[in-house]
Each structure stands twice: as structure tokens, then as C-alpha cells.
Amino acid sequence: MSLKYEIFKTSGKSRLGKLHTRHGDVDTPAFMPVGTCGTVKAMMPESVAATGAQILLGNTYHLMLRPGSELVAKMGGLHKFMNWPKPILTDSGGFQVMSLTGLRKLTEEGVTFSSHVDGRKYFLSPEESMRIQYNLDSNITMALDECTPFPSTHEQAKVSMERSMRWAQRSRDAFIDRDGYGIFGIQQGSVYKDLREISAQALTKIGFDGYAIGGLAVGEGQDKMFEVLDYAPQMLPEDKPRYLMGVGRPDDIVGAVLRGVDMFDCVMPTRSGRTSQAFTRFGTINIRNARHKEDPRPLEEGCDCPLCRNYSRAYIHHLQKCNEVLAVMLLTWHNIAYYQRLMKGLREALANDPLSDFTQQFYADQARGDIKEL
RNA sequence: GGAGGGGUGGCAGAGCGGUCAAAUGCAACGGACUGUAAAUCCGUCGACUUUAGUCUACGAUGGUUCGAAUCCAUCCCCCUCCA
């Protein structure tokens, strides 16, 4: 295999590790900010790096439409194109199979999308997804899958998962091995344990550099998601990174790390930054709320992001009310910084047992968020 | 002085006899957001009670009418054009 993964220490089901890629290392547990269209919305790549992020997520479907993977290749690859020299993982388009239902047609061969931009038709097969991600120079290519929607009956989830497994094989076959690059398979099976098991076995048999858990955080709720995570990670090879796709809220991430997950991505910190929700040690804050109008305090005491270092809640509230882009930029920066600080805290706790001290403090702090005066 | 056009909920602005507590937008207040069709979407927005309902409301007063934001009279303001 072409991607090296080291596990330094485990604590319960949790693991402290490091993933080595051609473009640098990634300490795990890791959170990957989402940069769908070749940019983390409202952030300069240098700023994203300043938060401590070591790897970004890009998207096959969106970059295929604009500007096209050939152009990105011609411009020297996605790292150079977007000025992000560190590792990049690209989603295969599998999430769009679910999120763009109605704009796509699914067959055994692949998916035909009617572009949400101009209606033009695009065909995405496992082979085509591999070719595009190769063009993008992605360090971690994701197999093309179908993110199974929730709720799905056992039968629907089975049919969907089985196709994803056939596509996983085709993805693996079409993937070109290179040093410092790798491909991850994606487990499906919705909330059904037997299907998750079959899926895990199929993927393990094919053999990947890492294994993702897909089809979660799609509306089933945290309780059900944790039920699945109580067993799903352990079904996957122990010596490879495990990536929970699209998750999540801070407490989702902590809960998943405790259950043995190593990698995460989510639009939550960036999207929330654009919709005035800020994440803090003491829970979320909607900076648009009137109670912040005359609050001279920083958003989060002790945070070293530019927002918290230099501006008051009153000022961010004002910027937000005026629809100023700076509000979006600063809130996004803060949220990404918060997520990276959370991951760093988890890693440090894992390095210096016991992890339970950290998680106990985390849950206690989050609970205090109910006190609105904070 | 002459001619004309207006005054509607925080603002702008529809409505021009009943289906009007009054469209729509903005503002205000709150909520949602999980591999990004999202700087987006949803709700509330006269008062009191709340399935329902009661009361006070479209410059002011009086009138016509079963019924008026809508028609008439008077008054008070505002705007445009001509002297």
C-alpha cells in the first residue's frame, strides 16, 4: 500500500496516530475542513493552515463541473491551483448521489448528473471518479459510493450497499497506486449491523489504505449514529485509518473518537460561520441574537483566533447585522480554529492518558452552554 | 395666488365597498444547519386571550351604507408644476 499509517497509542477504542502522505503528515484524530470547490469558503488557505488544519477535503463532482479536472491538472494539480501545499482528500461524488437526487440518474454503470449549474449532463462512474481525482492530484481518493439515504428499509440499504461494494472494487481496480497517495473504501449499510458487517468484509477483502464509514449523520440522529458506531469501526481493519464521513458537531466527534474513529470532515464549522453560529467551549452561540448587542467580551475567552483576540461580541454582532463579509470570514476562522483546538485537545489527552479527564471536562463545559449569560 | 397628486402597520409600498388585522419587500425577534445546489432556509411580527375568539386600527372629525382603509363633506398636514 502506498499510504503509511502509524498508530502510536490506544486508549480504550481510541487511537493516536499519524498518516503520511506525499504532501505531509496528518495527526489523528483529525478534522478536515471542507473545501468543496477548491476553497474553504471565506478563508485564505494560509489562514486555514494557521488554525492547525493539516488536510482539506475537496470534491470530485463540484470540481468536475467547474473548472474541470483537466484544467486543474494543467494548472499543476489542486494543491498548487488553490495554494494549499498540504494533504488533500477528495470526496468521490458519492454524497451528491444522495444530495442531488432528482438531478441524477443511477445505474449499475454509474451516475448521470444534470449539472446544478447549467443543466449539462455529466457521467460519473467509479472509473471516471478515479480519473478525476487523479487529475486533481488528491492524496486520498475516495471510492465512488452511494451515500444511502435515511430512512431506508433493510432491503433498500442492502441493494444500495451491494452496489457500493461493486463500485468499491471497480474504484480500487481503476486507482493508480503511487507513493504517498492512497484510496479509501467506504462502508455502507445504513443502521443495519448485518449489512455493515458484510460491507466491512467486502472492503477488507478488496484492500484499501483506509476505511470510511459512510451513510451516517443523514437524519438518523445522534443516538442511532452512536449505536452504529458502537460496532462499525471495529469491523474495519485495525491498522488502517478510519474516517467517519460528514461528521459532525463537536460532541459527535468526541463520541466517535471514543468509539475508534480517526478522521472527520464536516461543513458544520464553515457553514455555521456563514449563518452566524459560533462554536465555543461552552456550546454554540448565535451571534445574531440581540443579547450580544452591547457585549464587550470576546466570543470565546482563551481562543487565539483573530476574532477572539481583536474583536468584541458586540462588533461581530454588528457586522453580522450589516451583512458584512468580515463577519463571515471571522466566524468561519473562529469555528475552524475551535474544531482544530478540539482535535488537538483529544490528541494530547490520548498522548497523556487518561482521555476520560478530557472528555469529562468537555461534556461539563458543553453543558454550561445552556446558561445563556455565558 | 393658480393647477394637480398624496397621507395605510418600525420603514417602503399594495389594496380602492364585504373574502382586510390589511399583499409584498426590508427591518426587528427567534430557530435550523452534519462526505456544501446554502453569505442559505424556516417561523414570529397590533393588543388580549389563543382550534376558536374579543377589542382597538389605514391623518382627524362627521356622514352615506346592513357593511368603509376603500364613497361623500369639512378640517389638518405633505409633495409637484405654473405664477
Side-chain angles (χ1 to χ4, degrees):
Chain A
M1 287 302 143
S2 325
L3 269 188
K4 193 177 158 206
Y5 186 54
E6 292 180 277
I7 295 175
F8 304 121
K9 201 169 175 186
T10 59
S11 167
K13 291 178 174 178
S14 311
R15 306 117 61 82
L16 179 70
K18 194 186 281 277
L19 184 62
H20 303 273
T21 82
R22 168 76 205 288
H23 293 264
D25 298 343
V26 179
D27 295 305
T28 68
F31 179 80
M32 305 182 274
V34 176
T36 304
C37 292
T39 169
V40 176
K41 294 185 194 296
M43 292 278 279
M44 304 268 285
E46 301 92 309
S47 311
V48 179
T51 66
Q54 296 173 304
I55 176 169
L56 294 188
L57 178 144
N59 185 282
T60 298
Y61 169 80
H62 290 277
L63 292 169
M64 161 179 82
L65 264 48
R66 294 183 299 197
S69 72
E70 281 78 9
L71 180 82
V72 174
K74 200 189 286 181
M75 298 307 288
L78 189 55
H79 302 85
K80 180 155 185 263
F81 189 49
M82 70 180 288
N83 188 33
W84 173 262
K86 293 168 186 284
I88 293 174
L89 174 150
T90 44
D91 186 28
S92 58
F95 183 73
Q96 280 66 42
V97 175
M98 178 190 77
S99 68
L100 299 181
T101 355
L103 286 179
R104 56 71 168 165
K105 198 173 165 214
L106 191 56
T107 66
E108 181 61 26
E109 183 56 24
V111 210
T112 305
F113 289 101
S114 295
S115 159
H116 70 278
V117 179
D118 60 8
R120 261 183 68 189
K121 292 231 188 320
Y122 289 83
F123 182 67
L124 196 63
S125 61
E127 294 77 16
E128 180 65 5
S129 182
M130 295 306 105
R131 191 184 72 78
I132 290 168
Q133 294 183 73
Y134 180 89
N135 280 343
L136 297 175
D137 199 28
S138 171
N139 295 97
I140 302 177
T141 291
M142 298 304 298
L144 184 63
D145 68 333
E146 181 198 4
C147 181
T148 307
F150 182 87
S152 285
T153 63
H154 188 277
E155 179 59 22
Q156 291 167 335
K158 181 169 183 281
V159 168
S160 168
M161 178 273 285
E162 286 172 346
R163 177 163 43 217
S164 283
M165 295 308 102
R166 291 190 294 275
W167 284 6
Q169 179 65 252
R170 285 168 57 189
S171 296
R172 187 71 191 85
D173 292 344
F175 179 76
I176 300 167
D177 276 309
R178 288 178 294 164
D179 219 32
Y181 294 83
I183 177 171
F184 283 21
I186 306 171
Q187 182 200 44
Q188 291 292 340
S190 190
V191 294
Y192 305 106
K193 189 173 183 178
D194 59 325
L195 299 182
R196 288 276 169 190
E197 181 64 54
I198 294 168
S199 180
Q201 284 173 12
L203 294 175
T204 307
K205 193 175 166 207
I206 297 167
F208 288 94
D209 298 286
Y211 296 83
I213 299 167
L216 289 181
V218 287
E220 76 280 7
Q222 196 189 59
D223 288 351
K224 270 213 166 63
M225 179 172 82
F226 279 174
E227 261 176 51
V228 174
L229 291 177
D230 281 336
Y231 53 75
Q234 275 61 50
M235 294 171 171
L236 301 166
E238 210 178 352
D239 60 336
K240 299 293 180 191
R242 305 197 283 227
Y243 162 31
L244 178 55
M245 304 187 79
V247 173
R249 297 196 183 90
D251 59 325
D252 292 331
I253 290 175
V254 170
V257 166
L258 288 171
R259 291 167 173 80
V261 176
D262 309 306
M263 297 169 65
F264 303 87
D265 82 279
C266 193
V267 304
M268 191 113 271
T270 42
R271 180 179 289 170
S272 287
R274 279 174 275 122
T275 60
S276 77
Q277 181 177 57
F279 292 90
T280 78
R281 185 178 153 192
F282 298 117
T284 58
I285 286 178
N286 188 339
I287 202 67
R288 198 177 52 203
N289 289 172
R291 66 193 173 96
H292 303 112
K293 191 173 182 179
E294 298 183 35
D295 197 332
R297 297 175 301 167
L299 188 59
E300 182 175 12
E301 207 68 57
C303 174
D304 65 351
C305 84
L307 185 161
C308 293
R309 273 203 323 264
N310 306 318
Y311 307 98
S312 62
R313 292 185 187 189
Y315 182 62
I316 305 302
H317 174 265
H318 159 252
L319 290 180
Q320 171 61 229
K321 286 298 200 183
C322 294
N323 267 317
E324 288 292 338
V325 288
L326 185 58
V328 164
M329 292 164 62
L330 290 171
L331 279 169
T332 302
W333 193 327
H334 168 81
N335 283 344
I336 294 290
Y338 170 83
Y339 268 66
Q340 293 305 329
R341 188 161 56 246
L342 174 65
M343 303 317 290
K344 193 176 174 207
L346 284 164
R347 275 182 250 124
E348 285 175 357
L350 271 162
N352 315 301
D353 268 337
L355 177 62
S356 56
D357 284 2
F358 177 86
T359 55
Q360 220 167 10
Q361 186 65 49
F362 171 80
Y363 291 121
D365 286 341
Q366 290 284 308
R368 279 179 67 190
D370 294 338
I371 307 167
K372 285 296 183 194
E373 288 72 49
L374 288 168

